[in-house]
Amino acid sequence: MELSGLAAHSSTRGRRPRGPAVLAAALLLTTIAAGAAVQARTIADNTPAATREAQDLGPANASETISVTLWLQAPGSEAAAEQLARELYDQSSPRFHRWLSEPEANALLAPSAAQADRVQKYLTAHGLRVVAVDEGRLYVRAEGTIADVQNAFHVAIHNYASGGRSFRSNVADPVVDEPAGSVVAAVSGLSEHHMHPQHVRPIDPDTGAPLAAVPAGAFFSAQCFRASQQHTFTTDGGLPTASYAGNRYGADITNTAAGTLPSCGYQPSELQTAYGLSPLYASGLDGAGQTVVIVDAIGSPTIAADAETFSQVYGLPDLTGANFRVYFPRGRPSTSDQGWASETSLDVEWAHSVAPGANIALVIAPTANDSDLQAAILFAIRRHLGNVISNSWGEAESDEPAATLNYFNQINRFAAALGISVNFSSGDSGDSNPSGITPGLILHGVSTPADSPWGTAVGGTSLALDSSTHIRFQTAWGTNLTRIANAQSVGSTPIVPPLELGFQFGAGGGRSGVFAKPAFQHALPGTPRLVPDTAFDADPYTGVEFVCDGASCFGLPAGSGPEVAVIGGTSLACPMFSALWAIANQGAGAGGLGQAARLLYSLPAGAITDVVAIGSESNVRGSITTTSGTSHLSPAALAQPLDTETPFYSALYNGTSTRWYVITFGTDSALAAAPGWDDVTGLGTPNGMGFVNAVLAGAAGGFAGE
């Protein structure tokens, strides 16, 4: 089975609230006083796994107002919807690629008007105010105090703490009285879920802050890796001394000329060459007639100007009102956010870089709450804004209730049934939670919604280019840093022993703890859904240039104008892949190709470049001489990756100050690139023209049977 059967199941029973004993007793007395048991339905799997590992801080503020979203489903429709979607991707079926119309999909998925009305009446009867109803009746959103919400869903809501953060959550699964209960598939909002933009910028290893942006017009070096060097660090007046030799990363920090700025960053033309996109453009395949849909939260107030500046600076077609539209389906956001502004600029500019002929539709959710972003995706699906939807955000799978994850998967399936591929970044925190929780305190695992079997998950690589901007090497994106020498201002003395700064960031991936392995992954080991499916460049240390207003993205004073900075993350990989999928859709003509992942696993050799672990004979080695003698440091001793048996690439790095470091590539926590599919890069990186040709041939010949 592709799905884990997590849709809420019903049971008929006397009212039995699932909260603490005091609340349960109070509700039970209320029921007894009413003189009869009430038929009710428990919405199963609607409590985050994260609460099991967190510290319970006690009841939440009962007077606080919160928003809840009830996701609805016509009773008995789930199995039929799943079967029909499978048939649309099965070449042996007469339904193969005969995408549904929206009315057909709605008729299968959505409850009737009368059923949705029951849910609205239930909410208002419990003191909640209905504020929105989906036009296709897939959700009802309401607001009310926590006290009223607890009463409506017969569950207590508490505050929790874990890993330095606090959050609110229901303590058990909610219960909805019939006849409304049979229509409810999931309840969002009882627990807090904030999706995170999955971009990162190269950091100043002295301060941990992102490297500074520069005025538009000054560009970073495209040569991230240089020939082997040797550097010796000596203590003034005697020992210790240290000598290190190996590959060199990044341009000199003294460089000031445009095009040579440290450390490195790629422009659109360079990655167009590297990934074999130029032959596509020459053949007329550049995304023309297609639209790349981008869904983000909060957005950027300067995105239109920034995107146009980016286009002009890098020689791309103009992005104007004719080919770039912004939608606010739930209204404009009331706040601004530098992280989401950077995300928005990155998504728009690099989708445009890969598919310069495509239109872009940017759909902005007013907040980063999961329900607002789900509604934004639904908006894009209902209006069929494009055949591909790019989502560069996510959070820890264990932070979301399984019922919500299952409904997110149903939304992605809804899109797939209409011929739309919904793509997600795989995360930037390796094998740990993308929400930044300290490893070990909460379940490790994959990012969601990248775990969705009806979505396509995009992982990340580190990418080195040669002087002709062709690929020199690729490896799994995962970076560690070790400080080996102090700043010149204190004499550039060696650090003895070297200071391990540890894992910085890397592509997310692994095995879902919620979803079963989909049919298209049948040849891979195990039974869970495996993440990711494919990959592109994501390492901020081999990242790309992007343009954003200094005030919007970089905290500079208002009116500072556009700035250029280097950025990466699987937030880069996802819009790049989505734009390439739009090009493939252009080649396919009318109708669209549908979900990307269901074709990727059947492509022939040469369509996708397998990314494997790499090492180098020029990895950094060192020796330190003290009064006790000389000790020799191997590459593994300087890198300290979690798995020193996996090959990695290391280099000497003169950071943003005059301190020196060893930087490693391919050390992605416990994840690693390997031949074939792996949990960092999936099947690998698409190979330009070969990829598109193989996709079109596969679509014409049919997908592997489901």
Side-chain angles (χ1 to χ4, degrees), residues 320-647:
T320 64
N323 60 354
F324 177 38
R325 297 187 181 276
V326 184
Y327 300 87
F328 301 93
R330 280 194 171 180
R332 292 179 179 271
S334 59
T335 60
S336 60
D337 182 280
Q338 290 179 23
W340 281 104
S342 296
E343 181 63 64
T344 303
S345 292
L346 169 61
D347 290 343
V348 170
E349 292 167 9
W350 278 87
H352 188 45
S353 296
V354 171
N359 300 323
I360 292 179
L362 175 62
V363 182
I364 298 297
T367 76
N369 291 341
D370 57 356
S371 58
D372 279 339
L373 284 160
Q374 285 173 305
I377 292 176
L378 263 177
F379 174 88
I381 294 170
R382 292 198 184 289
R383 282 149 186 80
H384 212 125
L385 297 180
N387 289 326
V388 59
I389 303 175
S390 182
N391 305 277
S392 292
W393 38 265
E395 70 169 332
E397 186 180 68
S398 62
D399 276 5
E400 282 270 11
T404 302
L405 299 183
N406 190 61
Y407 206 91
F408 221 137
N409 188 53
Q410 292 182 36
I411 292 174
N412 296 337
R413 185 184 63 200
F414 180 44
L418 300 175
I420 301 169
S421 185
V422 188
N423 306 334
F424 297 94
S425 298
S426 72
D428 300 339
S429 302
D431 65 358
S432 62
N433 279 284
S435 55
I437 303 170
T438 304
L441 294 179
I442 295 290
L443 300 174
H444 289 190
V446 297
S447 175
T448 189
D451 58 349
S452 167
W454 283 101
T456 298
V458 187
T461 68
S462 299
L463 175 67
L465 303 185
D466 63 21
S467 59
S468 299
T469 65
H470 292 97
I471 294 177
R472 178 180 164 192
F473 69 79
Q474 298 183 90
T475 192
W477 170 38
T479 307
N480 280 254
L481 283 174
T482 299
R483 185 178 293 162
I484 58 173
N486 282 308
Q488 286 179 357
S489 60
V490 292
S492 294
T493 55
I495 296 175
V496 182
L499 177 62
E500 298 288 347
L501 301 180
F503 176 65
Q504 303 299 301
F505 28 53
R511 288 147 180 77
S512 171
V514 174
F515 292 109
K517 183 172 64 178
F520 57 79
Q521 291 186 324
H522 68 91
L524 302 183
T527 58
R529 163 65 157 129
L530 300 173
V531 176
D533 299 307
T534 187
F536 262 122
D537 182 26
D539 187 346
Y541 285 106
T542 65
V544 299
E545 298 171 1
F546 81 115
V547 173
C548 188
D549 178 79
S552 295
C553 291
F554 307 120
L556 299 178
S560 58
E563 300 272 322
V564 176
V566 175
I567 198 166
T570 51
S571 282
L572 166 63
C574 189
M576 289 181 67
F577 176 77
S578 298
L580 183 59
W581 197 247
I583 292 175
N585 274 275
Q586 177 191 0
L593 294 165
Q595 184 193 6
R598 291 180 185 260
L599 182 55
L600 298 182
Y601 289 81
S602 61
L603 296 181
I608 294 177
T609 300
D610 188 13
V611 178
V612 298
I614 64 163
S616 171
E617 292 182 0
S618 297
N619 276 344
V620 178
R621 291 170 169 80
S623 63
I624 295 177
T625 301
T626 66
T627 55
S628 302
T630 300
S631 58
H632 297 276
L633 300 174
S634 68
L638 287 168
Q640 289 296 305
L642 295 182
D643 178 5
T644 54
E645 295 183 1
T646 299

Side-chain angles (χ1 to χ4, degrees), residues 100-119:
L100 303 183
S101 66
E102 186 188 335
E104 289 173 325
N106 270 335
L108 187 67
L109 294 172
S112 66
Q115 289 169 327
D117 186 58
R118 288 181 212 157
V119 174

Side-chain angles (χ1 to χ4, degrees), residues 43 91 118 139 388 398 437 518 654 674 679:
I43 312 304
Q91 65 171 330
R118 288 181 212 157
Y139 66 79
V388 59
S398 62
I437 303 170
N654 192 193
D679 49 17

Side-chain angles (χ1 to χ4, degrees), residues 290-302:
Q290 298 294 311
T291 297
V292 179
V293 183
I294 295 167
V295 174
D296 278 320
I298 303 172
S300 168
T302 57

